[in-house]
Amino acid sequence: MSFAVQEQALLDLLFDRERRAAFRQDRQRALADYDMSASERADFSTVRLEALEMDAVARVNFILAQYCRSYPLSFSLVSSLPQGLERVRVLVDADLLRTPPGERLGAFGRRLRDSLPGTGQCADAVTMARLLAVVEAEQGLVMTAQGVRGAALAGALPEVALLPTDWLRQPLRLAPFTSAAILPRPYASLKALLCACTGAELWRQLSRQPLSAATRETVLAEADLRLLVARAQVARVSPCEPVAEHATVELGEGFARLLPHMDGRNSVAGLLEQLRAAGAAEELLGGVLSGFRELARQGMLQVGD
């Protein structure tokens, strides 16, 4: 007897709400489209409906407690929306659980991002845009960490190339596994204002007491925009689950218009010359140079191909 189809059916019963509701109404009909023998289907006749429901809720909460480690600001902000926690819970379904484990957290972030536009749950478009910016920033962190872990498991981590002494005049691009996103405030400030605790405990805290709409509006209304640039790197090598961490640099919002020029064709020196020709003040030029030096110091720039 093969249990593969039974496992598929059980996964659906645990993470597919519609399938579970159908199972409550008529067990045989709910299982009719699974290729199981009569004896395999009969195994489900002893399933206690209340226990199945409790198990499903417990599993979803366990998964979200782990995901909350990677999306703390996003979870906190979304919890402040009407039915916000339920909006997060429904994203954990059978389709997500069939995603390869190494890609699952990133897939969840895309679902969360896509579930938010057009909800009409925030006071104004600016607030919603800033909430989305937070989700996208944390999604960028997740995706770069996912990428560097995958490369490590495949034995394909690129070597960290040291910049030449004349790197300011070399065509540059962003290093692999580097993301950039604008946040409404510095990341540490957002975490202090939005997260009463850290790790898996944050999900349990939000389940007991979601973030208030008033706190959300206060935090997002008074913006101190920052460009968060982050490079994922392997902190500990493991044959099963390499541990990734991020080196981060926060720059002024205006730097976001300069970073796309680092596409492997332009140099910092050339960019500074263009800004000087456009009338930029020396103080501004000094700030731009300082920002690029910090990116270089953190290994976020490399010579273009």
Side-chain angles (χ1 to χ4, degrees):
M1 178 186 296
S2 171
F3 295 104
V5 179
Q6 284 184 308
E7 290 175 345
Q8 178 183 345
L10 182 58
L11 180 73
D12 288 342
L13 289 175
L14 287 169
F15 296 103
D16 184 329
R17 296 184 178 203
E18 292 183 4
R19 179 79 63 174
R20 198 160 62 249
F23 186 76
R24 285 195 297 268
Q25 295 296 319
D26 187 329
R27 298 188 183 209
Q28 292 304 311
R29 181 175 296 179
L31 299 175
D33 54 349
Y34 294 96
D35 185 18
M36 290 188 289
S37 66
S39 62
E40 289 172 333
R41 192 171 285 108
D43 289 340
F44 290 86
S45 64
T46 59
V47 172
R48 293 171 51 198
L49 295 177
E50 67 277 11
L52 178 65
E53 193 66 38
M54 291 176 60
D55 194 5
V57 171
R59 288 173 186 266
V60 169
N61 278 323
F62 176 80
I63 290 169
L64 289 174
Q66 304 311 308
Y67 287 6
C68 197
R69 298 174 184 272
S70 298
Y71 296 98
L73 305 182
S74 302
F75 273 42
S76 186
L77 287 169
V78 172
S79 78
S80 71
L81 304 176
Q83 296 300 307
L85 293 180
E86 183 62 16
R87 184 191 304 279
V88 174
R89 289 189 180 98
V90 299
L91 299 177
V92 181
D93 60 16
D95 287 340
L96 180 68
L97 271 294
R98 289 193 178 94
T99 304
E103 302 172 14
R104 205 169 288 162
L105 193 57
F108 175 84
R110 288 191 296 272
R111 286 179 166 214
L112 181 60
R113 167 62 179 82
D114 293 343
S115 74
L116 294 176
T119 59
Q121 303 293 352
C122 283
D124 55 64
V126 172
T127 302
M128 176 56 83
R130 290 174 181 167
L131 191 158
L132 289 172
V134 169
V135 176
E136 289 169 355
E138 291 192 320
Q139 186 183 2
L141 297 175
V142 167
M143 295 304 294
T144 52
Q146 175 180 301
V148 80
R149 283 196 296 267
L153 288 172
L157 273 178
E159 293 185 8
V160 178
L162 297 177
L163 290 173
T165 55
D166 64 340
W167 67 270
L168 289 172
R169 298 192 174 278
Q170 296 290 328
L172 299 176
R173 60 183 173 89
L174 288 180
F177 314 117
T178 300
S179 66
I182 293 180
L183 288 175
R185 291 172 182 258
Y187 189 85
S189 173
L190 285 170
K191 202 162 187 180
L193 292 167
L194 296 174
C195 303
C197 47
T198 59
E201 180 58 30
L202 178 59
W203 173 252
R204 292 186 280 271
Q205 170 65 28
L206 293 173
S207 297
R208 294 190 297 268
Q209 183 61 57
L211 186 77
S212 70
T215 299
R216 179 195 71 219
E217 296 300 318
T218 298
V219 171
L220 296 183
E222 299 179 7
D224 180 16
L225 302 181
R226 288 288 186 273
L227 176 68
L228 175 68
V229 187
R231 181 177 65 86
Q233 53 197 356
V234 174
R236 186 170 72 249
V237 178
S238 164
C240 297
E241 185 64 25
V243 176
E245 61 181 20
H246 287 88
T248 61
V249 173
E250 291 192 13
L251 304 167
E253 176 199 7
F255 214 93
R257 294 189 289 274
L258 304 178
L259 213 54
H261 291 279
M262 296 297 101
D263 56 3
R265 295 175 295 178
N266 298 296
S267 69
V268 173
L271 185 58
L272 290 172
E273 286 302 318
Q274 293 179 43
L275 292 172
R276 183 173 285 109
E282 288 300 320
E283 182 179 0
L284 173 61
L285 296 175
V288 169
L289 179 58
S290 176
F292 278 116
R293 288 189 185 279
E294 183 60 19
L295 293 176
R297 191 178 74 83
Q298 294 295 339
M300 296 174 181
L301 297 173
Q302 64 181 44
V303 175
D305 294 330

